[in-house]
Structures are given as C-alpha cells and as structure tokens.
Amino acid sequence: ERHFDGCSSVLDGGAGGGREVIALARQGLTVDGFECNEELVAIARELIGAEGLEARVRRAPPDAVVADRPRYAAGVVGWGAYTHIPARRDRVRFLRALRDRLSSGAPLIVSFFERPPASRRFELTRAMARLVRRLRGCVDPVALGDVLAGSFDHYFTRDEVVAELDEGGFDLVEYVGSDGSHPHAVARAR
C-alpha cells in the first residue's frame, strides 16, 4: 500500500510459484510475472487459474527479463531470483533490463539475503572457494558473499545493494535490514 499506491501494473521478476503475483492480483493490479523454473511456472499458472485471476506468469531464461507490456508501473524481485544471480555484472544487467520495462518513477522492491560488512565466515568461504576454483582451472571470480549451500546464493551488504540498484538505473528510497524483518530495498526507476 505504501509503495505501490496509484500503480496499476506490476512486473514480478522471479515469480516462483506465484505467491506475490496472486497477492498483487487480488489487490486489483494487473500483474505479469516471469520465472526460469518450468515447474514453478506450471504451479503458478495452476494457482492463478484456481483463483480465477487475470494474472500471467511466463517462462524466462535464467537471469533474463521477459515482459508483455511496454512499461509497468511497479516491479518486484524476490530474494529467490536476485540472490541466485551469480555475478555482480549479471545482476546489474538484470536490473537494467528490468528498468527498461518500468516507467520513470516506478517503485521496485528487491528482496535479498543480507550479510554484515565484516564477516569471518564469508571471508573463509571465499578463500576456500577460490582455492577450489583455482585447482579446477576456473577463471570466474568468487565474490565476498557468494555461497554454495544447495544452490548458489549471494549475501549482500547494504552498500552492495545500493550500488547495484544505482548502476541498474534506480534510486534508493528505503532499505530494511535483517534486524527483525526480511531484508529488502525499495527504489524508484530513474
């Protein structure tokens, strides 16, 4: 209500099983979502159909933006999408592509995993990952905050989130850390 007031359409990047799509469509918004996991796309479509809603979820390649309208009034990117994008350059490219689908001034809510600015655990994880990559002959860098625990996840500091949003074409409006809430940032498209 606070950030999407007056918005008529929302683009949900990484729609998963459709939870946000359904919640936003119930509020009377036109919602299009995209998701790279075909099974989740099928689940989302089934749930949306069972609710009798006019929302859509489409299959998209990983880390790509797929949209039906020329411009949306708002955007949502859940942690399950944003934290799984492996490299900073790819996250920024994703944000830029998303920015191209949003109207100027459109709000964007991005959720993520948060890490403290200094963390021995993440420093050790990076050191071990670099060693393993070097032994395997991999050249892709490992960033502080990258973790493999069942899937790839990147844990962000506030500064990282703000910098990536800025490079992606967004201005930070609000940052909520993990102290008692789910970490997320609200930004506006420039």
Side-chain angles (χ1 to χ4, degrees), residues 13-61:
R19 181 181 57 184
E20 289 91 2
V21 171
I22 290 169
L24 292 164
R26 283 180 182 160
Q27 299 297 315
L29 299 169
T30 301
V31 186
D32 290 330
F34 58 90
E35 169 60 49
C36 67
N37 183 307
E38 280 191 52
E39 290 179 35
L40 291 176
V41 170
I43 290 168
R45 288 177 177 168
E46 182 180 326
L47 293 172
I48 290 166
E51 293 270 340
L53 298 169
E54 292 293 323
R56 294 191 310 181
V57 174
R58 294 178 49 195
R59 166 94 171 60

Side-chain angles (χ1 to χ4, degrees), residues 12 16 29-30 43 47 50 53 61-63 71 79-80 96 107 122 155 159 173 175 178 187 189:
D12 184 354
L29 299 169
T30 301
I43 290 168
L47 293 172
L53 298 169
D63 311 336
R71 296 271 186 251
W79 64 264
R96 285 181 183 155
F122 286 103
Y155 285 69
D159 290 346
V173 172
Y175 182 92
S178 60

